[in-house]
Structures are given as C-alpha cells and as structure tokens.
Amino acid sequence: MVLDINEIMKLLPHRYPFLLVDRIDLLEPGVRIVGTKNVTVNEPFFQGHFPGHPIMPGVLIIEAMAQVGGVFAIISDKIGPDKVTYFVGIDNARFRKPVLPGDVLRMELEIINCRRGLYCFKGRAFVGETLVTEADLKATFADRNDS
C-alpha cells in the first residue's frame, strides 16, 4: 500500500509546518510501515537550527517517525476521526548522523506489540542506507475533545 500526501492528510490532523511525512511507501497492516520525508532547505526550523550549518532537529526526526506510526495504527486498526493520537513515550533514542537539507529521510517502523490500545514501535530512520536515528516509540488514542 502506497499513500501520497493527500491521503496522509486525510488520516493525520498535522499540517504545515508540522506535517513531517510526505509519502507512505509500504504498509503491511499489523507488521510494519515505511514512510518518507523529503528534507528541504525551506523547512522553517533551519532558520534557527543552525544558521550557516542547517541540521534537522533530532526531536523532529522522532516526531516524523511518530507520525508514520500514527498512520500505521489508524489504518491497521481502522481508527476513526473521532480519536486523537497521543505520543506517550520514547525510549532508547539514538542520533547517529545529522540529517541535512536535500536528504530523503526514510522511516521504518515495526510494531512490537499493541495491548489495551498502547502501540509500541521499533523505529529507525535512514538517509540512503545510513542509519541516522533510532528509537522505541509508544502511542495511544483517546476520544477527541472538540469543545
């Protein structure tokens, strides 16, 4: 299953400048997902991180992986628009190499388990074949409170 940006925007509530997934390249419901972020010099965070030496902040790489995981859970378990995603944990995060403008960030997440609505993923991010970031991520869903 491949999803373009328009299909991703139907699933995730995030929008520019915080939507950090451009495409879902592979989805095996209940098993794994692969998503892509094209990193451009026009990203707003590069203005301050760092002037003259732009590097994508590690927390945003983690957020991009979490968004890919959200797509996985929404599709795998048919979670509707009446729910909101809560990112509830990050463990074992490691930042191996910087992500720079012009890089294509490929995020691969595999489901470790899902118990009582708590999704646990092993996430890895690559530029080409180089591992740049890895982390264990946890997320859950709750009723949307649109009051």
Side-chain angles (χ1 to χ4, degrees), residues 14-134:
H14 306 79
R15 294 297 178 265
Y16 178 83
F18 212 68
L19 180 59
L20 300 172
V21 182
D22 294 322
R23 186 177 65 238
I24 298 298
D25 302 298
L26 173 74
L27 174 64
E28 296 177 44
V31 180
R32 70 185 188 120
I33 187 168
V34 178
T36 302
K37 163 72 177 150
N38 296 304
V39 182
T40 73
V41 75
N42 297 322
E43 307 286 350
F45 50 78
F46 283 137
Q47 293 177 27
H49 199 270
F50 296 102
H53 186 67
I55 297 173
M56 184 173 183
V59 296
L60 294 182
I61 299 169
I62 298 287
E63 173 63 26
M65 288 194 295
Q67 290 178 18
V68 171
V71 170
F72 176 92
I74 289 166
I75 291 176
S76 291
D77 290 344
K78 297 176 178 61
I79 295 170
D82 60 324
K83 300 289 185 187
V84 63
T85 309
Y86 287 110
F87 190 19
V88 297
I90 306 166
D91 293 313
N92 304 312
R94 297 289 180 266
F95 304 99
R96 308 268 181 215
K97 299 278 184 183
V99 175
L100 308 173
D103 287 344
V104 176
L105 187 64
R106 184 181 78 252
M107 296 151 291
E108 300 180 0
L109 281 82
E110 60 182 88
I111 186 83
I112 302 303
N113 63 48
C114 180
R115 293 190 189 126
R116 289 183 260 162
L118 180 65
Y119 294 81
C120 299
F121 295 98
K122 174 68 177 172
R124 297 181 303 159
F126 298 86
V127 172
E129 296 304 313
T130 302
L131 178 66
V132 295
T133 303
E134 59 188 321

